[in-house]
Amino acid sequence: MPGDAVRASLRTQRHEEEKIVATTVPPVRVAAVPSAHPYVTAVADPAHVHLLADPPPPGAPAGQWWPPQVLLPTWLEQHAAEFDLVHVHFGIESYRPNELADTVATLRRLGKPLVYTVHDLENPQLSAQEEHRASVAVLAEAADELITLTDTAAEEVRAIAHRSPTVIAHPTLLGESPRPMGTAHDLMRVGVHLRDLRPNIDGVGTVATLVRAIADLRAQGARVEGVVRMNERVRDDEAAASIALLAEKCDGVRVERGPRQDDDELSTWLADLDACLLPYRHGTQSGWAELCYDLAVPVIGTRVGHIAAQHPGDFHTFGVGDPLSLARAIVGATDPAWSTPGSRRRAAEVERRRGERLTEWEAVRAAHREVYRRALSAEVAA
């Protein structure tokens, strides 16, 4: 298409210009926490930003980045010549608030800026949140630059740190790769992926609500099915057994168990859905909501955190324990013609969003470059 050709030409021109710039201006060396994370690599423009590799924790298996060594004062002191700034994203639950205060003090002593993206006002890996909130406050009050992903999350951060963060949208994690369009099937398919049943996933409550909603819709003549996916290895075997029992008692809901899906397998699984049900009991933002947006899969979820603010036009609300609200949400989410997997309209919507997201991706990277520039300029001025 002419539009695609123009976009490709502009990207090629931009890349050539970036090569020229990159040869004259050294990239910002960022010690990210963590570095090996899809979001972190997505927002870091490789022409202008160099991400240090995650330091391996002593005794940890290969590929494990936690507990993050970058947050240890001894690591910062020993490697200060290797990085320009620290950018914290995830993993602060590895340390207590007073330990993070030591991290902040060390960075100030070394004259190194701290950038903090507040992904998790509530930590999905934890049940109790008090200590996590204290850790968020330590970093949010001390950071040279603060980032959030939505305006609503920014309001909450403003109340904690008494300062305004920079709002930068969550970018696509699919890059320029082709998107799966899904496969057509006879029944409308609503899927929920419970992964390994980590603390913020309400597997039993969500599936119990889904079972009753599917039963009600089928009783009204709807051709709909529910698909529940869980990893083979979960953190709560008792909950997994209850979920399997709930599904067994409902005609129209089935449970899939299998190994943890890689990125391509997950995208393919999601693309086959007419709607994706999010099972969160607490949280802040959702990378899954972003992936569903890229794949033109409508999202159904509770009013948890700020997920609804990521793509409000694609978000449909239900309440756990309220099957009527879920049935209404399923009907509303699957109303657009593009919600049907394998259809021409789904394919067209995916391609439209692909162009939109690639443009946004460039803006997200540029915004991060500007944040780093400000942080480094402020440090030099100080």
Side-chain angles (χ1 to χ4, degrees), residues 106-370:
T106 302
L107 286 170
R108 286 176 174 164
R109 186 171 67 253
L110 295 171
K112 300 289 186 177
L114 171 64
V115 178
Y116 178 33
T117 298
V118 190
H119 294 276
D120 295 322
L121 287 157
E122 293 184 306
N123 194 309
Q125 304 293 344
L126 305 173
S127 296
Q129 298 292 324
E130 289 77 11
E131 186 166 272
H132 175 72
R133 292 191 186 99
S135 294
V136 169
V138 168
L139 295 180
E141 291 169 5
D144 296 272
E145 290 285 338
L146 274 174
I147 298 171
T148 61
L149 309 185
T150 61
D151 291 330
T152 56
E155 292 175 8
E156 195 169 344
V157 171
R158 196 173 295 116
I160 294 170
H162 308 293
R163 49 193 296 214
S164 295
T166 300
V167 179
I168 307 176
H170 192 303
T172 178
L173 299 183
L174 297 179
E176 298 187 15
S177 63
R179 275 74 161 147
M181 307 296 178
T183 304
H185 38 258
D186 293 334
L187 299 177
M188 184 169 61
R189 185 173 297 165
V190 180
V192 56
H193 203 312
L194 305 178
R195 291 183 273 180
D196 65 350
L197 292 174
R198 69 187 188 185
N200 81 319
I201 287 181
D202 186 356
V204 174
T206 302
V207 173
T209 310
L210 176 64
V211 161
R212 292 170 60 191
I214 293 293
D216 290 346
L217 287 169
R218 288 168 75 96
Q220 297 168 30
R223 295 180 57 78
V224 60
E225 67 172 347
V227 181
V228 179
R229 173 92 188 182
M230 279 189 292
N231 294 354
E232 284 177 342
R233 298 177 61 183
V234 296
R235 305 190 200 187
D236 190 337
D237 290 319
E238 185 176 338
S242 297
I243 289 163
L245 188 60
L246 283 166
E248 285 176 10
K249 295 181 179 180
C250 178
D251 180 29
V253 177
R254 55 187 171 88
V255 175
E256 300 175 351
R257 300 256 341 232
R260 182 183 181 276
Q261 293 172 315
D262 63 26
D263 293 344
D264 289 340
E265 291 168 335
L266 175 59
S267 292
T268 300
W269 187 84
L270 287 170
D272 278 342
L273 303 179
D274 293 79
C276 178
L277 178 61
L278 298 182
Y280 305 137
R281 58 162 54 95
H282 66 264
T284 306
Q285 274 111 188
S286 170
W288 284 53
E290 298 293 334
L291 184 54
C292 286
Y293 184 80
D294 282 331
L295 300 173
V297 178
V299 169
I300 301 170
T302 57
R303 287 284 178 182
V304 166
H306 304 278
I307 300 172
Q310 290 176 246
H311 297 285
D314 263 12
F315 191 87
H316 304 263
T317 306
F318 86 105
V320 173
D322 183 358
L324 181 59
S325 71
L326 180 52
R328 283 198 299 260
I330 290 171
V331 172
T334 56
D335 182 59
W338 50 259
S339 74
T340 305
S343 66
R344 290 183 180 179
R345 290 182 177 178
R346 166 71 71 89
E349 181 64 14
V350 169
E351 279 304 303
R352 185 192 69 78
R353 294 185 183 192
R354 182 175 181 272
E356 167 200 304
R357 295 283 267 173
L358 289 176
T359 300
E360 180 186 57
W361 188 23
E362 296 174 9
V364 166
R365 285 183 161 182
H368 279 81
R369 295 198 304 269
E370 175 60 20

